Amino acid sequence: MSDKLVGQPLVRKEDPRLLRGDGRYLDDLGRGALAAAFVRSPVAHARIADIDVEDALDVEGLVAVYTYEDLPGRIAEPLPLLIPHPDLTHPRTPHCLANGEVNHVGEAVVMVVATDRYVAEDAAERIRVAYEDLPPVVGIDQARAGERLVHVDVPDNIAARSVQTNGKGDAQEAIAAAPHRLALDLHIERSASMPMEGKGVLAHWDPDDRTLRVHSSTQTSTSVRLAVAAKLELPPDRVEVITPDVGGGFGVKIVHPWPEEILVPWAAMTLGRDVKWVEDRREHFISSAHERAQEQHVEVGFDDAGRLRGLSVEIWHDNGAYVPYGIIVPIVTSTQLLGPYKVGAYRVEFTSLYTNTVIVTPYRGAGRPQGVFAMERTMDAIAEYLGMDRLAVREANLIQPEEMPYDQGLVFQDGRPLIYDSGDYPTMLRMIRELVGWDGFEAERAAAAAEGRRIGIGVAAYVEGTGMGPYEGAHVKVETTGEIVVSTGLTTQGQGHYTSLAQIAADVLGVGVGDVTVITGDTRRFKYAVGTFASRAIVTSGNAVAIAAGKVAEKAKRIAAAALGGGIDADDLELVDGKVRRREDHTASIDLRTVAVLSNPLRYAFDEAAKAATQFAAALGTGDEPGLEATGYYMPDRSTFAAGAHGVVVETDPETADIRILRYCVVHDCGVVVNPRIVEGQVHGGVAQGVGGALYERIVYDEAGQLVNASYMDFLIPFATEVPHIETAHMVTPSGVNPLGLKGAGEAGVIPTSAAVASAIQDAEGLTVRRMPISPSELYELRKTQVSQMTQTTRESRKEQVSA
């Protein structure tokens, strides 16, 4: 086994504290703070005719009631558009409190502040809001029709329309010239991330030094700080944002500022009292964010071997009532759709549409599950058309290792060229073939059929852009106790940063991982960062930690060389086992903690250790600044690209149409693996969410725009009993675009699950699956519909050709 800690499956340092119940989440803080509650719209689309707060004023314990008219200055302006894009021609963002009109159920209309949450809720119930109903726009079909408008000044409900081509010819001409052509219409339904802990904000205003301290359950404390400062018109240095332990994020907490992140601090400043708000479960359903809903039309041309000649995809994306996070989700779908394949001429067009529903922002996978569904369903359709093995069609289209780096000819979500940095996709498919038992499956199928059972096998592959910029940073300090303190601007919500970042720092500084303490999400400790999302943390912060620790190591060598004397050169030293020592003579060494003492020249001796750094004891003269510490930043030129393939075996009940996953296999490549145990956990968690997205989880609106399953009684999340045992195999193709060779792993597990499960169900049933998720009831209906059709048509006529 290597002496290096990077690559070791160490047990997570953070778990004992969390398992003992010693975690500190937002609602554990702020005892004695005033509580905020919100009156939220019960209708999807309406003008606000009147707000009557009179009855609420009699509630004992009520402190304040605020409507839009009470909001001053920039707080009354719409929330910012976080990621502008030239194709986003009609951006609309919400106000902190509704300004005369509501555009989805759950939009905040009134804020109530009281002595506790119970009183605040009681007062909120007594506030009467008169609404003048407007016709709601619900669902992509209604938005596309354009007969009703979400925003009167947005024609046809179109927020954005974007077209990209890959510069390899005209896609429609390539399709028309191909020997074979197919067309598919695909649907992915709306879903939502469901972190166990919802959002929450606690604010404290110190009027004496005019500083604002905000605790927020967020994925980006540094960006919340800047957003709050801008809205409240405070210098950023007067705002501190601290992220305590976070009970899950999955993307929804990267949005900022949420209205509550502005209103709660503003109320604290206005009232001179601490104010807290903690989201309840229904609020999370109706007022946070959703994802996934898309309709797709795919046209593809291919040859006799299944090789793609041209691919044209049109996507209609439901972005909900507002677009505060821009159009990142459909951009990711349209670019990551290509996966590990060469598709010939490619054209993709997406239209992002307003509806009177909750906003759509990135949810783990962020548009990739939809893109993979489109591509992998297309691969399966080609295989069926040609009568070929499904894996063989995929293999015929793979980018080869010697073609890396591979330029897909598109612009990625980070505004940089979509260039795959490394990967070995043929090996990846070979590994999943072996792991899932593809070649021996027909015998398995026959044996199951003999028992009256119906089973099927499916596979799906993906490529995931990870580690995007613009940057992350880290500060590394060696304390005089020998403890290494690593501070980053990242937040952490379960990714194991306290362990994986410690492994990187420990390797560079030659100490044990137990000697390293990692601090995240506190702008008092590190102010410059972007955030934890999009599978970027280990790539960006991991490299930043390595850079900062490397600076500390070089400084330690310089100081140690001066302290050891004898003409020792710093280049002759190394850091091992908590010491700085000479490579050729280990007796010439000095403890790293002593070097930390010497790094800070002292006039006064506070203890025995400090004596060594006083002016008559030390004469180092290295010219370095005091302190054995350094700050480092990593700014990637472009994203890295992880990849993987999933294989799944399902059984469908011939009578009840119940769907059961029998085997689930994952081959995963995230470059150099810092901690295999943590990566495995990330993959497993992602697959669990993917299974939910494939078979259980969906957000359902009725025609009036009412969310009809806004509780855990109705929104089905898989239990452990529904999540299969997951067999994982890792492969490593180091990234060539960052010093450590890392790629991200946070979203990988969820990306191809719906596509792989759909493939397996179709294989088991002999039916065409074009919509996910799929329930037993829907499979039953699919059987009735398609079997009926198949009795009237030949198999050949089921092939959906674009033209004769």
Side-chain angles (χ1 to χ4, degrees):
M1 179 178 289
S2 167
D3 293 334
K4 289 289 186 184
L5 292 165
V6 168
Q8 302 299 327
L10 302 184
V11 174
R12 296 184 357 148
K13 296 178 62 176
E14 45 268 77
D15 285 346
R17 180 176 64 86
L18 298 174
L19 292 171
R20 286 195 306 267
D22 292 337
R24 294 175 76 240
Y25 298 87
L26 193 286
D27 205 21
D28 295 322
L29 311 175
R31 296 190 185 282
L34 299 176
F38 290 87
V39 176
R40 299 184 183 277
S41 173
V43 296
H45 198 193
R47 277 187 286 271
I48 298 173
D50 183 55
I51 300 175
D52 183 354
V53 304
E54 194 67 26
D55 287 351
L57 302 180
D58 295 332
V59 175
E60 185 176 351
L62 177 71
V63 176
V65 177
Y66 301 108
T67 67
Y68 174 79
E69 282 70 24
D70 298 311
L71 304 181
R74 293 182 186 173
I75 302 174
E77 298 172 358
L79 291 169
L81 172 63
L82 291 174
I83 308 176
H85 189 283
D87 292 334
L88 180 52
T89 53
H90 293 80
R92 299 292 180 269
T93 60
H95 293 80
C96 290
L97 294 172
N99 177 18
E101 182 175 311
V102 290
N103 284 302
H104 66 86
V105 171
E107 188 165 356
V109 178
V110 182
M111 179 170 72
V112 176
V113 182
T115 50
D116 64 39
R117 181 64 178 263
Y118 297 102
V119 175
E121 295 284 0
D122 287 346
E125 280 186 1
R126 296 192 180 198
I127 293 172
R128 291 189 295 275
V129 182
Y131 297 98
E132 295 175 350
D133 288 344
L134 296 168
V137 178
V138 183
I140 291 174
D141 290 345
Q142 209 165 59
R144 287 177 63 184
E147 295 170 354
R148 300 174 175 179
L149 297 179
V150 176
H151 303 284
V152 68
D153 57 346
V154 178
D156 299 321
N157 297 309
I158 296 175
R161 177 167 281 153
S162 178
V163 177
Q164 281 208 62
T165 59
N166 65 355
K168 297 177 182 176
D170 185 285
Q172 287 295 345
E173 289 181 2
I175 294 167
H180 310 286
R181 300 175 296 280
L182 286 174
L184 299 83
D185 289 304
L186 303 166
H187 310 267
I188 292 281
E189 294 192 37
R190 179 178 276 238
S191 189
S193 64
M194 286 293 151
M196 292 305 294
E197 180 201 32
K199 307 194 302 292
V201 188
L202 167 67
H204 168 80
W205 170 247
D206 186 330
D208 293 331
D209 66 0
R210 299 191 61 76
T211 57
L212 178 67
R213 179 173 296 174
V214 178
H215 286 79
S216 179
S217 181
T218 179
Q219 293 177 230
T220 175
S221 53
T222 51
S223 294
V224 170
R225 169 174 169 261
L226 295 176
V228 168
K231 273 291 183 184
L232 300 186
E233 301 182 62
L234 293 170
D237 269 355
R238 293 293 177 185
V239 180
E240 301 166 345
V241 176
I242 304 159
T243 302
D245 288 315
V246 175
F250 309 121
V252 70
K253 294 178 183 177
I254 190 59
V255 179
H256 62 278
W258 286 102
E260 299 86 356
E261 287 175 324
I262 300 301
L263 292 171
V264 170
W266 170 69
M269 293 175 64
T270 302
L271 299 171
R273 300 273 304 275
D274 291 3
V275 180
K276 184 169 84 170
W277 168 77
V278 176
E279 184 180 59
D280 65 31
R281 184 54 58 189
R282 178 169 171 76
E283 283 183 302
H284 188 77
F285 270 101
I286 65 171
S287 65
S288 286
H290 300 163
E291 222 241 80
R292 303 290 196 245
Q294 284 184 5
E295 294 182 0
Q296 303 163 339
H297 178 72
V298 180
E299 297 182 9
V300 61
F302 50 97
D303 63 19
D304 293 342
R307 287 188 293 265
L308 274 62
R309 299 286 183 82
L311 179 68
S312 177
V313 181
E314 191 164 7
I315 299 166
W316 294 270
H317 173 77
D318 178 354
N319 57 230
Y322 304 103
V323 286
Y325 206 78
I327 50 175
I328 289 299
V329 172
I331 289 175
V332 171
T333 300
S334 60
T335 52
Q336 297 272 261
L337 184 150
L338 300 177
Y341 307 115
K342 295 179 286 189
V343 301
Y346 177 56
R347 180 187 187 276
V348 62
E349 175 178 350
F350 72 75
T351 304
S352 195
L353 296 158
Y354 288 110
T355 59
N356 287 115
T357 56
V358 174
I359 63 171
V360 165
T361 64
Y363 160 35
R364 195 176 194 175
R368 296 178 185 86
Q370 302 94 311
V372 171
F373 186 70
M375 194 72 210
E376 296 298 311
R377 289 281 71 203
T378 301
M379 289 290 173
D380 283 351
I382 293 171
E384 181 184 11
Y385 181 94
L386 294 174
M388 288 180 62
D389 177 82
R390 287 170 286 163
L391 272 180
V393 171
R394 288 167 169 84
E395 289 164 351
N397 289 286
L398 289 177
I399 298 164
Q400 299 300 308
E402 59 271 20
E403 295 177 283
M404 295 291 179
Y406 188 84
D407 188 348
Q408 285 283 23
L410 303 174
V411 177
F412 191 42
Q413 64 153 318
D414 56 3
R416 310 292 174 84
L418 185 71
I419 302 174
Y420 296 173
D421 48 336
S422 67
D424 184 350
Y425 306 143
T427 298
M428 183 176 76
L429 277 201
R430 177 182 57 74
M431 289 174 67
I432 197 65
R433 175 191 288 273
E434 294 171 357
L435 190 62
V436 76
W438 187 271
D439 293 336
F441 185 73
E442 288 310 314
E444 236 180 282
R445 189 200 307 274
E451 298 171 353
R453 298 167 55 224
R454 192 179 292 178
I455 64 174
I457 191 169
V459 68
Y462 68 94
V463 172
E464 177 197 5
T466 69
M468 66 178 186
Y471 74 91
E472 285 296 340
H475 178 262
V476 175
K477 180 180 183 182
V478 181
E479 299 282 12
T480 54
T481 60
E483 180 188 18
I484 314 296
V485 180
V486 175
S487 301
T488 82
L490 282 182
T491 59
T492 186
Q493 50 270 352
Q495 293 87 349
H497 294 151
Y498 300 148
T499 307
S500 55
L501 296 180
Q503 288 177 257
I504 292 170
D507 268 353
V508 177
L509 294 173
V511 299
V513 74
D515 298 319
V516 183
T517 298
V518 175
I519 295 171
T520 64
D522 187 340
T523 63
R524 297 170 302 180
R525 304 299 295 267
F526 203 88
K527 296 184 178 182
Y528 300 102
V530 180
T532 303
F533 60 98
S535 304
R536 66 185 298 278
I538 197 63
V539 180
T540 51
S541 282
N543 280 286
V545 168
I547 291 168
K551 291 180 178 178
V552 171
E554 293 305 311
K555 188 174 183 179
K557 291 177 186 176
R558 290 194 296 272
I559 296 170
L564 290 170
I568 294 176
D569 191 279
D571 291 339
D572 296 332
L573 300 177
E574 62 182 1
L575 276 68
V576 178
D577 294 336
K579 298 179 183 297
V580 186
R581 71 184 189 191
R582 195 172 188 181
R583 287 192 182 86
E584 306 301 328
D585 176 11
H586 294 179
T587 61
S589 70
I590 184 170
D591 287 344
L592 191 58
R593 69 178 67 188
T594 304
V595 177
V597 173
L598 297 176
S599 72
N600 181 24
L602 296 172
R603 182 171 180 81
Y604 309 110
F606 307 111
D607 54 25
E608 287 300 313
K611 286 181 183 176
T614 55
Q615 63 262 38
F616 297 111
L620 303 183
T622 62
D624 284 299
E625 295 178 351
L628 190 50
E629 60 187 306
T631 299
Y633 290 91
Y634 172 65
M635 301 180 181
D637 292 333
R638 51 187 170 86
S639 296
T640 63
F641 288 86
H646 291 197
V648 58
V649 176
V650 304
E651 179 171 357
T652 56
D653 190 295
E655 300 296 329
T656 67
D658 185 44
I659 303 162
R660 190 159 63 98
I661 296 176
L662 302 181
R663 291 192 68 193
Y664 203 102
C665 301
V666 175
V667 173
H668 181 250
D669 178 5
C670 61
V672 172
V673 178
V674 175
N675 186 318
R677 185 189 299 267
I678 290 175
V679 170
E680 191 107 344
Q682 288 279 18
V683 170
H684 287 192
V687 170
Q689 281 188 305
V691 169
L695 299 176
Y696 304 103
E697 298 173 3
R698 70 183 75 199
I699 291 287
V700 181
Y701 280 97
D702 68 12
E703 60 186 14
Q706 295 291 335
L707 181 53
V708 301
N709 61 339
S711 79
Y712 281 171
M713 289 291 290
D714 304 300
F715 181 83
L716 301 181
I717 295 176
F719 296 144
T721 47
E722 279 83 50
V723 178
H725 172 70
I726 301 162
E727 302 167 57
T728 309
H730 296 287
M731 57 183 294
V732 176
T733 56
S735 172
V737 299
N738 65 81
L740 297 181
L742 307 175
K743 302 176 184 178
E747 299 170 283
V750 76
I751 293 172
T753 313
S754 284
V757 171
S759 178
I761 293 172
Q762 179 164 320
D763 184 55
E765 293 281 328
L767 303 171
T768 300
V769 178
R770 296 282 167 81
R771 176 187 290 272
M772 292 296 272
I774 185 168
S775 67
S777 308
E778 289 163 329
L779 178 56
Y780 180 76
E781 290 299 321
L782 205 59
R783 284 175 179 170
K784 287 201 302 183
T785 305
Q786 292 196 15
V787 169
S788 172
Q789 290 175 349
M790 289 174 69
T791 59
Q792 301 171 38
T793 60
T794 64
R795 179 173 181 275
E796 186 65 24
S797 67
R798 288 176 56 236
K799 299 171 181 175
E800 301 163 79
Q801 297 190 50
V802 174
S803 59

